[in-house]
Amino acid sequence: MKRAFAGLTLLLLCGLAACSPAPAPAPSAPPTLPAATVPTAAPTSTPTTSQLIAGIDTDRAAYPPGTPVQITVTLNNRTNAPFSGELAVTFEHLGQPTAPAQRQPIPSLAPGATAALSFTWQPPATDFTGYRVAVTALANGAPADSAATAVDVSSDWQRFPRYGFLSQYGTDVDAQATIAALNRFHLNALQFYDWQWQHHRPYSPNASWPDIAGRSIARDTVTALIEQAHAHGMLAFNYNLAFGAYDNYWRDGSGVKPEWGLFKNGGGNYTPEQQDFHPLPASWPTSKLFLFDPTNRDWQAYIFGQERQVFAHFDFDGWHIDTLGKRGLLWNWNKQIVNLPLAYAEFVNAARDALGKRLVFNAVGGYGLNDIADKADVDVLYAELWENDGTSTYGDIIDLIERTRAHSDKAIVLPAYMNRDYAEHAGSGHTFREPSVRLADATIFAAGAAHLELGDRAGMLAKEYFPSQPLVMSDTLKAAIQENYDFAVAYENLLRDRARPAEVAATIDGQEISASGKRGMIWALPRATPTATVVHLINLKNNRLSLWRDTGAIYPAPDVLENLSVTLHMPTPHRTGARLWYATPDANHGAATALAYTSGTDTQGAFIQFTLPRLQYWDMLWLEN
């Protein structure tokens, strides 16, 4: 549930061991890599201030197989001298070239001058595949600047969801610019939060209408945002609560009846005063949202009819169904206790049958998530994270993901609001704490899930009421998040393509290793995919706590660790000649590097040893199967 407000107190019910390996045998060197098509610039820490490449844009967030990719590279000469040379674009999948490099001359640029060069690439037709696209500016054949982006070739968002949000629909919104900015993060679906008129009457035929907070919503803006989302390959989901109605619903002419309600006692003889509700600010168009039984067939018929009107007049692709999480015992009009988790799954399937649209359902705090995973016909699994529902630490996030995967293989999206208490008290204009955001993203992405966090107005969520964005991203955080999302797409087949926990024990000379995300240590998170054994290393050494939200915005940046001696013990010996790779979103724009290693066996079994060049926030290692 995304409705907490400044100044209003709401009760949200929603709610590997160190070892000393035996001396290694002679190196088992991986095969020699193909010669680089284009020289690359020296590794740099992310983010950097580019001296020449100002931006890289693709025309879509995702590409159906067979669709060409349009790439635009924007140049801005900030070298304080005239520049001429050429621009080279290379295409990679998990470190391997997938196509010849493309080159174009860079016209002579005076200091401060700008230019844009366009490239067209036809990626392989393999569905559900991520690619890294590297751009290098060359002067006299030597690298002068570099940058990168990524391309997702996928026929449907469900395999690799990257979910964002919209919350502004006034007449002053530039729909094209808004969606283009979100496209740079490769978001392939957008939640249109609080676009509707009233929860029980979401569609208005007017040119504008007030939303739940009294903000004016422009019909033309909503339509334009949907059109622009579709033009960039994004899905558009209309947001609405599963079971809410405004105050005075029983006499507003809507036809909604108290007999369909949820009630807070089992005594019967119900009135709206006994109906369960969610409080809202008194200054809003309604001070309450009254709640209804999701299994009541009359309520279902009514609200599905209202949603049909929405889909008849707006080209939304689906319904994002929100809830309020766990609410204790509730009764229906017939004095029967309503099992909300089961009721939610029944409601979702009835909605799918009635509307024939895509559905996302918010199992707030994980409440009802297993039933949704087991029984409900949703596109992806979506659960808002709350500490009072048992998801407070980094390790808790992993546990929730793995428990959910025991019920379903569907992709998982986690809304998780960073620095929330700090956002409540710091006031508008203050910035997110960069280390806490980057470490939370590293945890969620390494676990194979998606983080709903990015939206319009260059916004990132600190609170559950999406139009409220009191904290802003600093320029360095924005650049780092862009690198994270490029990395998530480029390496989606290692991060999210049937990745499951693996039996790999990591040790690093001179470092404490945690298997559960403990503060003050390096966290080793092993995974296995059909093509590789993957180990994520997340640097929590400087963390004061193991709590992912860093609600007070206190976490310091992790120190950069270099030339770490790493040993990985695996249950079976690796394949002779298998390549070991290393990549990080924290440096060199996520480029993959092949690492030399030695291999052997000791009392703990088969192992490989190697030197890891660098660890700051998050590194990913993978040994090809």
Side-chain angles (χ1 to χ4, degrees):
M1 170 57 181
K2 309 179 207 41
R3 301 197 180 281
F5 311 96
L8 179 69
T9 301
L10 297 180
L11 182 61
L12 288 174
L13 298 175
C14 43
L16 313 155
C19 68
S20 298
S28 174
T32 303
L33 289 172
T37 309
V38 175
T40 58
T44 56
S45 179
T46 298
T48 61
T49 300
S50 171
Q51 296 298 297
L52 191 64
I53 302 172
I56 312 172
D57 292 286
T58 57
D59 58 323
R60 292 174 62 93
Y63 295 82
T67 305
V69 178
Q70 303 298 325
I71 302 166
T72 301
V73 182
T74 303
L75 304 175
N76 183 359
N77 185 4
R78 288 175 280 189
T79 65
N80 297 319
F83 184 91
S84 62
E86 66 176 343
L87 203 63
V89 181
T90 58
F91 312 94
E92 309 162 5
H93 174 64
L94 306 186
Q96 302 279 21
T98 60
Q102 296 186 23
R103 298 173 182 258
Q104 286 189 39
I106 299 174
S108 181
L109 288 177
T114 62
L117 300 182
S118 296
F119 298 80
T120 300
W121 175 50
Q122 182 66 62
T126 307
D127 205 356
F128 303 115
T129 307
Y131 299 92
R132 179 175 179 268
V133 179
V135 177
T136 306
L138 302 164
N140 298 318
D145 197 8
S146 65
T149 187
V151 167
D152 174 22
V153 175
S154 289
S155 57
D156 197 284
W157 85 302
Q158 294 179 75
R159 184 82 157 263
F160 304 124
R162 296 175 298 278
Y163 204 11
F165 72 91
L166 296 171
S167 64
Q168 306 298 317
Y169 313 99
T171 56
D172 59 338
V173 171
D174 184 333
Q176 184 173 7
T178 296
I179 301 301
L182 297 177
N183 184 68
R184 182 58 190 87
F185 295 98
H186 318 289
L187 301 180
N188 53 11
L190 297 174
Q191 178 187 151
F192 281 60
Y193 182 94
D194 273 4
W195 71 278
Q196 76 274 40
W197 175 33
Q198 298 176 340
H199 283 60
H200 65 299
R201 292 187 291 193
Y203 173 71
S204 169
N206 299 325
S208 64
W209 54 87
D211 79 344
I212 193 170
R215 303 180 310 151
S216 181
I217 308 298
R219 182 189 195 91
D220 287 348
T221 299
V222 175
T223 299
L225 287 166
I226 296 171
E227 291 174 348
Q228 285 296 314
H230 289 163
H232 288 80
M234 304 174 185
L235 297 177
F237 282 84
N238 105 76
Y239 168 93
N240 197 12
L241 197 62
F243 50 1
Y246 279 26
D247 201 359
N248 291 322
Y249 70 83
W250 53 90
R251 53 178 174 231
D252 66 2
S254 64
V256 179
K257 298 180 180 180
E259 290 91 332
W260 307 343
L262 286 170
F263 299 91
K264 292 176 285 189
N265 66 68
N269 301 314
Y270 296 124
T271 65
E273 286 74 22
Q274 296 165 296
Q275 191 171 353
D276 192 20
F277 68 88
H278 185 75
L280 299 170
S283 60
W284 284 18
T286 180
S287 63
K288 297 175 181 175
L289 281 174
F290 286 91
L291 305 187
F292 295 84
D293 179 3
T295 65
N296 184 284
R297 297 304 175 87
D298 292 325
W299 167 254
Q300 288 182 4
Y302 172 83
I303 196 64
F304 297 162
Q306 296 296 313
E307 288 296 326
R308 281 194 198 93
Q309 287 193 63
V310 169
F311 290 116
H313 293 90
F314 293 96
D315 195 19
F316 284 116
D317 300 284
W319 179 7
H320 180 102
I321 306 172
D322 200 9
T323 68
L324 302 174
K326 189 174 182 179
R327 301 193 63 79
L329 285 178
L330 293 171
W331 286 260
N332 62 20
W333 185 266
N334 297 321
K335 307 178 187 179
Q336 298 167 325
I337 293 175
V338 177
N339 184 326
L340 274 181
L342 290 176
Y344 289 154
E346 178 183 325
F347 181 87
V348 168
N349 290 332
R352 178 76 87 172
D353 291 342
L355 301 173
K357 296 291 184 178
R358 296 171 177 269
L359 300 175
V360 175
F361 182 90
N362 185 8
V364 177
Y367 184 67
L369 182 58
N370 290 348
D371 290 284
I372 294 295
D374 285 336
K375 304 177 180 70
D377 192 4
V378 291
D379 268 26
V380 299
L381 300 173
Y382 181 104
E384 215 170 42
L385 298 185
W386 292 99
E387 292 91 331
N388 58 355
D389 292 306
T391 313
S392 59
T393 70
Y394 296 111
D396 290 338
I397 293 177
I398 306 301
D399 291 343
L400 174 67
I401 290 169
E402 294 311 325
R403 290 197 309 270
T404 304
R405 286 206 177 109
H407 292 264
S408 173
D409 288 331
K410 289 181 178 178
I412 301 168
V413 179
L414 302 176
Y417 312 123
M418 302 303 304
N419 304 154
R420 188 173 179 275
D421 284 358
Y422 179 69
E424 288 276 4
H425 300 107
S428 297
H430 287 74
T431 58
F432 284 94
R433 187 70 175 174
E434 182 174 328
S436 52
V437 176
R438 293 176 69 172
L439 289 169
D441 269 0
T443 299
I444 293 170
F445 290 176
H451 186 185
L452 183 127
E453 58 182 335
L454 299 176
D456 47 14
R457 299 190 298 172
M460 173 177 279
L461 292 175
K463 299 174 67 175
E464 58 276 19
Y465 178 60
F466 288 12
S468 172
Q469 297 178 29
L471 301 184
V472 298
M473 288 188 283
S474 66
D475 289 343
T476 58
L477 177 57
K478 191 179 299 184
I481 294 300
Q482 181 174 298
E483 296 279 359
N484 278 356
Y485 277 76
D486 289 343
F487 192 85
V489 172
Y491 297 102
E492 62 192 15
N493 298 103
L494 294 175
L495 292 166
R496 306 170 70 182
D497 197 355
R498 293 166 288 174
R500 294 295 182 267
E503 303 247 344
V504 178
T507 58
I508 302 176
D509 287 357
Q511 304 291 338
E512 286 189 281
I513 303 297
S514 166
S516 58
K518 292 182 180 179
R519 64 180 179 87
M521 301 183 187
I522 295 173
W523 185 9
L525 190 62
R527 290 290 184 264
T529 77
T531 61
T533 298
V534 183
V535 176
H536 300 280
L537 298 177
I538 300 174
N539 187 357
L540 301 176
K541 287 194 66 175
N542 287 354
N543 267 46
R544 304 175 190 179
L545 300 167
S546 301
L547 307 176
W548 60 264
R549 197 189 296 278
D550 186 15
T551 191
I554 62 172
Y555 290 173
D559 295 329
V560 177
L561 308 175
E562 297 182 321
N563 299 320
L564 298 172
S565 178
V566 182
T567 301
L568 300 180
H569 277 87
M570 291 168 284
T572 57
H574 75 288
R575 179 176 60 83
T576 301
R579 289 174 176 162
L580 175 67
W581 296 87
Y582 147 78
T584 174
D586 305 338
N588 208 20
H589 304 296
T593 301
L595 300 178
Y597 63 88
T598 60
S599 62
T601 57
D602 60 14
T603 57
Q604 290 185 273
F607 67 84
I608 63 170
Q609 290 180 320
F610 55 93
T611 297
L612 179 65
R614 183 183 188 277
L615 170 63
Q616 186 179 16
Y617 285 92
W618 168 32
D619 286 0
M620 182 172 67
L621 300 154
W622 68 97
L623 185 67
E624 294 177 346
N625 291 343

